[in-house]
Amino acid sequence: MSALLDLHDIHFAWPGHAPVLAGASLRIAAGERVALVGANGCGKSTLLRIALGLLRPAAGQVTAFGRPRRTEADFHEVRRRAGLVFQDPDDQLFCPTVREDVAFGPLNMGKTRAEAVAIVDAVLDRLGLMHLRDRITHHLSGGEKRLVTLAAVLAMDPEVLILDEPTNALDPDNEARLLAILQSLPQAIVLVCHDAGFRARLVGRECHLSGGRISPG
Amino acid sequence: MTFAPAPGLATAAATPVAPPDALLTRLDPRLRVGAALAFALLVAALSSLAALGAALASALALMALSGLAPRATLRRMAAMDGFILIMLILLPFTTPGAPIATLPGGLTASQQGLHLAIDIALTANAVILMLMVLVGTMDPVTLGHALGRLRVPAALVHLMLFTVRYIEVLRAEQARMRQAMKARGFRPRTDLHTLRSLGYLVGMLLVRAFERSERILQAMKCRGFTGHLPLLDDMRLRRADLCFALAFAALLTALAGLELGLVRIA
């Protein structure tokens, strides 16, 4: 089976700092759920951003959906088909209302406003978030913000969902709700999460990132 | 609350940096601010081209002493000239006076206008160069402290210090939001969707900056802030400062003398 995402021998360093990634490789197959584990600052978020072309590696190949991806234009398609949920929901929510924020991705994909609104309603309904539809995004609680960012990414109907510490600052109820939603999704998932219990209930495979390289756990 | 420059700020700002051991950078910051101010006030009052030329020459000479990279510094000075270029070109034609040249279209340039244009060009360049040499070589936090010590209103000093401290935080926040937009397939185009999205981005930045400022104020109040920032560094005038002050005063006096015809360039 061909991999959805295949990061091979990725090297990366921030200017003036020691390398964060030094030959990291990661393969995600269709429908697979994988956790990426490692200490704070070991380069997990960096690796996820490289997979979406938001950062460029110093060396290494990114293959996504069967094709090598090098230029900014190559990654436009990757970003439509792989949905990244950011670590801090506030980075992601920038529109005044929930409805507009969830519609943002579909509109970028070329949907008409009417189609986008229909998608928004469908996704919010599926996640049980219809009551938040017309709320102001920055007045939402932390748990609500997290679920809305997930809805905003699911509205683009990605083939793989990339979650960067989605349980940060969630109370047990919201965490259970998030877990139930994620378990019900057919998408492949790449999960970065420090909570071993959450990982164990969601993913089948764990990869450890340390010293800039990935070893299967 | 102490103010350290945010990491990355020094590298992010494209300021030509003078070597820390250069003669001018070791002077008391208050003296440098005061000298630049006195120079600006005097040069603005000068009108003889000889005095103005001497002022520009002295600024150039100090630049050589300051250890600033001459090319980068002069390029920045030229960037300022771009703003006044149109005015300088138009002045000879718009100022009434003795005609010296007539364009084919019937436009007449006056001698007084030409003099005025040269006066303004020399003044602007001399002052901006002296500012870059004396004040521009200071890091912004030091400048803020120097202004505080010079009894500039605390509100203005705080505004400047907070801007220095948080501009990088805001820039990073903006960059993260742009990444998140990109991750959801956003590409700027010329359409309403792009304008609306960028508008939301700016609006959200303002809302967040406002809320952050309230959180920071609360945190500062929790640590006893009552509107007064204690400045930790003590600035003292040393012998070298005194020598510089005397030399600079002599320079200003010479410029004034040139203007009044008391001094002549041999």
Side-chain angles (χ1 to χ4, degrees):
Chain A
M1 188 166 52
S2 73
L4 289 182
L5 285 179
D6 190 356
L7 304 170
H8 181 69
D9 195 24
I10 302 288
H11 292 254
F12 184 88
W14 294 104
H17 292 269
V20 193
L21 300 172
S25 299
L26 181 66
R27 251 176 93 88
I28 313 293
E32 190 183 23
R33 292 180 185 164
V34 181
L36 193 54
V37 189
N40 291 126
C42 75
K44 302 182 296 286
S45 298
T46 304
L47 190 65
L48 300 185
R49 278 169 171 69
I50 286 173
L52 287 185
L54 298 173
L55 294 173
R56 291 296 140 78
Q61 293 88 47
V62 178
T63 310
F65 308 106
R67 283 171 45 190
R69 310 283 175 170
R70 289 188 195 90
T71 65
E72 173 72 13
D74 292 340
F75 281 103
H76 290 152
E77 191 202 354
V78 180
R79 292 176 199 148
R80 278 203 302 274
R81 297 172 67 178
L84 172 61
V85 179
F86 278 62
Q87 189 167 345
D88 182 351
D90 278 322
D91 289 341
Q92 213 172 325
L93 298 174
F94 75 100
C95 298
T97 68
V98 171
R99 192 165 59 123
E100 284 160 314
D101 210 277
V102 178
F104 176 71
L107 287 173
N108 286 332
M109 293 166 73
K111 305 272 192 242
T112 66
R113 281 198 89 70
E115 287 169 336
V117 168
I119 292 173
V120 170
D121 287 355
V123 169
L124 290 180
D125 191 42
R126 189 148 56 93
L127 300 191
L129 301 173
M130 266 315 250
H131 60 289
L132 299 179
R133 200 181 73 149
D134 295 308
R135 291 271 298 278
I136 307 289
T137 49
H138 81 275
H139 289 163
L140 299 174
S141 74
E144 289 167 339
K145 280 181 184 168
R146 169 52 70 215
L147 293 171
V148 170
T149 57
L150 181 63
V153 168
L154 286 177
M156 299 174 72
D157 201 19
E159 290 161 54
V160 53
L161 205 54
I162 303 177
L163 305 160
D164 195 354
E165 306 199 15
T167 59
N168 266 5
L170 285 191
D171 64 38
D173 282 351
N174 273 314
E175 191 180 309
R177 197 160 161 208
L178 178 70
L179 182 66
I181 292 171
L182 292 176
Q183 281 169 336
S184 72
L185 294 174
Q187 275 95 346
I189 288 177
V190 182
L191 173 72
V192 169
C193 180
H194 291 296
D195 180 346
F198 191 86
R199 290 201 304 266
R201 276 172 285 167
L202 187 62
V203 304
R205 177 160 76 92
E206 293 199 348
C207 300
H208 291 265
L209 179 57
S210 69
R213 301 172 72 90
I214 287 181
S215 52
Chain B
M1 178 152 191
T2 57
F3 282 85
L9 192 75
T11 48
T15 315
V17 179
D21 56 342
L23 183 72
L24 288 177
T25 35
R26 275 177 301 166
L27 293 173
D28 187 313
R30 291 171 300 173
L31 180 63
R32 286 151 72 188
V33 173
L37 183 68
F39 183 83
L41 288 176
L42 178 71
V43 172
L46 297 180
S47 64
S48 99
L49 295 188
L52 286 166
L56 182 58
S58 52
L60 281 166
L62 262 184
M63 179 187 75
L65 279 179
S66 72
L68 279 176
R71 282 183 67 111
T73 310
L74 292 178
R75 203 176 303 128
R76 276 160 63 107
M77 187 176 89
M80 185 273 311
D81 285 330
F83 287 104
I84 58 172
L85 189 64
I86 299 288
M87 182 191 70
L88 292 181
I89 293 172
L90 290 179
L91 261 178
F93 300 100
T94 51
T95 313
I100 47 168
T102 309
L103 285 190
L107 271 174
T108 310
S110 73
Q111 203 243 319
Q112 282 80 352
L114 186 65
H115 186 281
L116 196 58
I118 296 175
D119 179 334
I120 292 177
L122 287 174
T123 306
N125 282 303
V127 170
I128 205 86
L129 192 57
M130 191 58 91
L131 266 179
M132 281 195 287
V133 169
L134 288 178
V135 181
T137 45
M138 234 179 268
D139 75 78
V141 175
T142 310
L143 175 59
H145 285 200
L147 292 175
R149 300 263 183 238
L150 288 171
R151 310 241 176 271
V152 167
L156 293 180
V157 174
H158 294 179
L159 203 57
M160 173 173 170
L161 289 175
F162 279 109
T163 305
V164 171
R165 170 63 184 81
Y166 285 103
I167 198 160
E168 178 64 17
V169 174
L170 291 178
R171 195 200 61 78
E173 186 158 272
Q174 190 265 144
R176 282 198 310 274
M177 273 202 271
R178 282 302 289 256
Q179 276 201 346
M181 288 168 77
K182 247 170 135 182
R184 283 199 277 161
F186 178 72
R187 270 182 281 164
R189 288 186 303 258
T190 24
D191 61 6
L192 205 58
H193 171 65
T194 300
L195 284 179
R196 188 183 293 116
S197 301
L198 291 179
Y200 289 163
L201 175 73
V202 173
M204 197 50 86
L205 263 181
L206 288 175
V207 169
R208 300 242 189 97
F210 179 71
E211 294 191 336
R212 185 190 298 280
S213 70
E214 295 200 314
R215 290 196 301 274
I216 292 166
L217 180 62
Q218 286 168 2
M220 287 172 72
K221 280 180 176 166
C222 290
R223 291 197 283 158
F225 176 74
T226 53
H228 172 73
L229 284 184
L231 302 175
L232 286 180
D233 50 9
D234 71 321
M235 295 178 179
R236 253 180 315 163
L237 289 172
R238 287 168 236 273
R239 184 191 292 270
D241 297 312
L242 224 59
C243 294
F244 177 81
L246 286 175
F248 205 82
L251 169 72
L252 296 185
T253 313
L255 289 177
L258 262 177
E259 169 78 13
L260 300 173
L262 303 175
V263 183
R264 282 180 190 283
I265 296 176

